[in-house]
Amino acid sequence: MKATIFFILLTAVTRSRGQYHYQGLMNYLENRMLAMEERIALWQEQNNRYSSDLKEFRQQAADLLGKLGKEHDKLRSDMEGAGARVDRVEREMDYIETKNPPKPCVKAADKMVEQDVVVKDGKKEEFFELSVCLNIVSSLKAMKILKRLGSPKGVWTKDARSAKVYVFNGTSDNTLYEFNSVRELSASSGVSKGKQITVPTAWNGTGHAVYDGFLYYVSESSELQVIKYDLKNGLVADSAVLPMDDRSPVYQLNPETLVDLVADEDGLWALYPAGDTINLAKMDIDSLDIEQMWDTACPRNNAEAAFIVCGTVYVVYNTKPPSRSRVQCVFDVNDMVSSGEAPLIYFPRRYGAHSSLKYNPEERQLYAWDDGYQILYKLVLKKKLWAIMPPPEE
């Protein structure tokens, strides 16, 4: 009997404890669910706020982009208007310069496209025997696009002592083309219409010069060898190795040209690289010996070409991709050009960048090659400042 009562009491206590543990578990789960619901409600509130902020930011960004687009269109319109005004001013300046041409410094016929030069032996040195040339380039008077033929890069030039024109198509070849005049070249359908002249070795780059019936070019070889070629007889008259170790291009924007040979009123010159700058050498026209050398301090970076007038070097610069070429560095071997007198010359907007600029001292013109186009630039010259007013004695 006592055992039965004890068993009944034990069972009741066990059931009571089980119910107590079950109720505690339910209370715990209920509290956790409430906490999770609070967190979900907080997350939804934050998400709604972030969505509202993002929508507001998108609206502000769209408004700002719309304003920027309108300002960009306005700026582009203003730039186009400014470009049109600049072009109009340039045309007006060209017109004024045409009506007020500078006085010529030499006795020579001066035509834009065609100039038939007839030189007698007794008067052969009338133009070239100027001991000191006192002119400096002040501006460009006119531009004429003759035609388009050949490769994007090349050279066309004219011997100042004859009417013959020479075309070098490309930056490495051994065949050039001779035309009897600029007019004949203009009327031809291609370079094949000219007289073919084959030189013994291929040329390098676009740094060739034609002077008094001779072609001067840098040979495409392991050495910087200057070849003097007699165009009339078809023979190599002389050659010389330039004492230069730098194999870098003289102009950064024309990497094929290591040395640029230039002819002007005073004879033959060579422009070559020296570190980050361009150096100048005066060469003997007969022996090809170097007579004197100068450091022009003109940087090679962004240089595309150069030309020499009366012993003054004009280095032309551009950008990559090409924009508008400009003379940005001037060096005079006689120190007769002051920094304030050096001209800042801009070339008209064209097709690309100049691969060559060859000056003809008798015509006072530049023969330019630009992306396959043959272009003539008419130069306006003036007297150097020290030619008018000598510098004070030290």
Side-chain angles (χ1 to χ4, degrees):
M1 184 68 180
K2 291 181 179 180
T4 302
I5 294 172
F6 177 77
F7 178 76
I8 292 172
L9 290 174
L10 180 62
T11 303
V13 171
T14 303
R15 288 180 177 178
S16 176
R17 287 181 177 178
Q19 292 176 354
Y20 172 77
H21 285 298
Y22 177 74
Q23 185 65 37
L25 177 62
M26 292 300 293
N27 292 337
Y28 171 77
L29 292 176
E30 184 177 0
N31 292 333
R32 295 296 296 174
M33 291 294 291
L34 291 174
M36 291 177 65
E37 289 177 354
E38 291 177 355
R39 291 184 179 180
I40 290 173
L42 178 62
W43 177 80
Q44 289 179 344
E45 180 182 355
Q46 292 176 345
N47 183 59
N48 292 334
R49 186 170 67 251
Y50 292 153
S51 298
S52 177
D53 293 342
L54 179 60
K55 185 181 296 183
E56 183 179 357
F57 173 76
R58 286 179 176 175
Q59 185 62 38
Q60 292 176 353
D63 295 340
L64 182 59
L65 288 175
K67 292 180 181 179
L68 288 176
K70 293 179 180 178
E71 292 179 359
H72 178 266
D73 293 338
K74 184 177 181 300
L75 179 61
R76 182 171 59 184
S77 177
D78 293 343
M79 292 293 292
E80 291 176 353
R85 288 193 293 271
V86 169
D87 292 338
R88 184 168 60 253
V89 170
E90 287 181 344
R91 289 195 299 270
E92 292 175 353
M93 291 180 64
D94 290 342
Y95 175 77
I96 293 172
E97 291 172 350
T98 302
K99 294 299 182 180
N100 299 277
K103 295 181 179 180
C105 67
V106 294
K107 296 179 179 179
D110 200 5
K111 299 180 181 179
M112 183 62 198
V113 179
E114 181 62 30
Q115 183 175 18
D116 296 325
V117 181
V118 179
V119 183
K120 297 181 179 180
D121 294 338
K123 298 182 178 180
K124 190 175 183 180
E125 301 296 329
E126 180 179 357
F127 177 79
F128 292 89
E129 284 188 347
L130 299 176
S131 57
V132 178
C133 185
L134 303 177
N135 288 325
I136 185 175
V137 178
S138 63
S139 62
L140 294 179
K141 182 178 180 180
M143 178 188 79
K144 180 178 179 63
I145 301 174
L146 190 74
K147 66 182 310 170
R148 186 179 190 182
L149 59 84
S151 304
K153 291 188 176 184
V155 177
W156 79 299
T157 186
K158 182 179 178 182
D159 192 342
R161 289 185 169 177
S162 73
K164 293 184 178 180
V165 178
Y166 299 90
V167 176
F168 302 78
N169 187 24
T171 59
S172 179
D173 201 349
N174 67 337
T175 301
L176 61 142
Y177 300 90
E178 179 186 86
F179 294 84
N180 292 322
S181 64
V182 175
R183 192 179 302 278
E184 182 181 86
L185 172 62
S186 179
S188 67
S189 58
V191 293
S192 60
K193 298 297 182 180
K195 174 186 175 182
Q196 292 190 18
I197 299 177
T198 302
V199 294
T201 59
W203 62 72
N204 163 265
T206 59
H208 332 307
V210 177
Y211 186 89
D212 193 22
F214 290 91
L215 164 65
Y216 299 85
Y217 71 96
V218 177
S219 175
E220 183 77 23
S221 61
S222 58
E223 297 180 327
L224 291 177
Q225 187 178 27
V226 176
I227 306 295
K228 180 181 179 181
Y229 185 81
D230 191 330
L231 292 169
K232 182 178 180 180
N233 299 325
L235 299 173
V236 175
D238 205 346
S239 64
V241 177
L242 297 175
M244 303 165 189
D245 298 327
D246 196 341
R247 302 286 296 184
S248 302
V250 61
Y251 311 121
Q252 183 201 34
L253 298 183
N254 275 316
E256 301 85 359
T257 303
L258 303 180
V259 177
D260 192 5
L261 301 176
V262 182
D264 75 341
E265 296 88 344
D266 296 327
L268 186 66
W269 308 81
L271 291 162
Y272 62 95
D276 295 330
T277 60
I278 298 172
N279 277 16
L280 174 68
K282 182 67 174 67
M283 301 183 68
D284 184 272
I285 200 70
D286 297 318
S287 64
L288 301 181
D289 293 336
I290 294 180
E291 299 175 345
Q292 193 171 350
M293 305 172 78
W294 297 265
D295 181 3
T296 68
C298 294
R300 294 171 45 238
N301 189 38
N302 291 330
E304 66 176 13
F307 58 95
I308 300 177
V309 179
C310 292
T312 302
V313 182
Y314 302 83
V315 184
V316 179
Y317 292 85
N318 207 321
T319 57
K320 195 173 183 180
S323 61
R324 193 175 184 188
S325 301
R326 63 204 176 275
V327 174
Q328 198 169 316
C329 187
V330 177
F331 175 79
D332 184 58
V333 296
N334 297 313
D335 293 328
M336 295 179 67
V337 179
S338 63
S339 58
E341 190 189 9
L344 181 59
I345 301 174
Y346 281 86
F347 288 81
R349 194 183 305 275
R350 306 169 332 279
Y351 307 97
H354 295 112
S355 63
S356 63
L357 288 169
K358 298 301 176 181
Y359 173 63
N360 187 293
E362 186 166 351
E363 299 173 342
R364 291 182 293 177
Q365 292 186 149
L366 288 176
Y367 286 69
W369 191 293
D370 175 16
D371 195 26
Y373 288 89
Q374 290 69 50
I375 301 176
L376 288 170
Y377 293 110
K378 188 71 174 178
L379 300 182
V380 176
L381 306 182
K382 66 178 182 180
K383 294 295 182 182
K384 296 179 181 179
L385 181 61
W386 296 136
I388 302 172
M389 182 182 300
E393 296 181 359
E394 298 181 356

